[in-house]
Amino acid sequence: EPEVTQTPSHQVTQMGQEVILRCVPISNHLYFYWYRQILGQKVEFLVSFYNNEISEKSEIFDDQFSVERPDGSNFTLKIRSTKLEDSAMYFCASRLGQGLGGNQPQHFGDGTRLSIL
Amino acid sequence: GENVEQHPSTLSVQEGDSAVIKCTYSDSASNYFPWYKQELGKRPQLIIDIRSNVGEKKDQRIAVTLNKTAKHFSLHITETQPEDSAVYFCAATVGGWTGKLIFGQGTTLQVKP
């Protein structure tokens, strides 16, 4: 069964440094997402991406965050200048694009644990 | 605003008993309601979902019910087994076509052998 893959599984970075988290969505999917989960808390929406542009973003997704689909397979999340509070598990998800309304399953990757020191 | 409330936060049952987890949502335009199971340190895994044009859906020991009028939906697990122990999250799409999911706070289910 096709899967969403994410790299690295764990990233340790000094505060103020830039990080790039990488995702390879399922190949025929058209909608892409980033979510984050602070340890012990719920999953929070960050951003959705469709047709090579951001379709929606949350308040968390400020100017320090950006997303890109540099080629036909990768989908990246960049944090420009990391803060301690960015420490979390970051999940990438993707879904098919049949019809509108958002009512199709989203498949999650295994996540990248980001630790900011 | 956009909100999904989930109860209870923890649930402990004896193996073989049933477990019920309940969620309420605020956006009347929400039309898709997935349930995810998350084991420690792993990805959320979709276990069942329901769309707004359906009131109930069942898949073996798992069922989900939806009451659109009351804006709540529930997960039912029958004949629970120790391997059902995990954190369960409900979610709802909000805001339109983008598919943005808002998650509940999660329920830690413990099934005691």
Side-chain angles (χ1 to χ4, degrees), chain B residues 2-46:
Chain B
E2 303 165 343
N3 197 34
V4 175
E5 294 287 334
Q6 182 172 348
H7 300 281
S9 56
T10 59
L11 180 58
S12 182
V13 300
Q14 236 14 78
E15 182 178 1
D17 287 352
S18 295
V20 180
I21 302 170
K22 300 183 178 183
C23 289
T24 58
Y25 60 97
S26 59
D27 187 350
S28 56
S30 295
N31 61 3
Y32 176 66
F33 308 90
W35 285 89
Y36 287 88
K37 175 184 180 182
Q38 188 178 33
E39 293 172 355
L40 195 62
K42 301 216 171 156
R43 72 173 81 184
Q45 196 142 17
L46 180 71

Side-chain angles (χ1 to χ4, degrees), chain A residues 46-89:
Chain A
L46 290 178
V47 66
S48 61
F49 192 86
Y50 171 71
N51 199 26
N52 281 319
E53 59 183 24
I54 290 173
S55 48
E56 191 165 1
K57 59 184 180 180
S58 73
E59 291 175 354
I60 303 168
F61 195 89
D62 62 21
D63 292 344
Q64 295 300 312
F65 290 85
S66 62
V67 290
E68 195 177 35
R69 188 153 162 84
D71 52 42
S73 59
N74 290 283
F75 178 50
T76 62
L77 174 69
K78 184 196 291 188
I79 309 175
R80 245 178 296 280
S81 178
T82 49
K83 303 187 282 283
L84 292 176
E85 52 264 39
D86 293 328
S87 295
M89 182 74 95

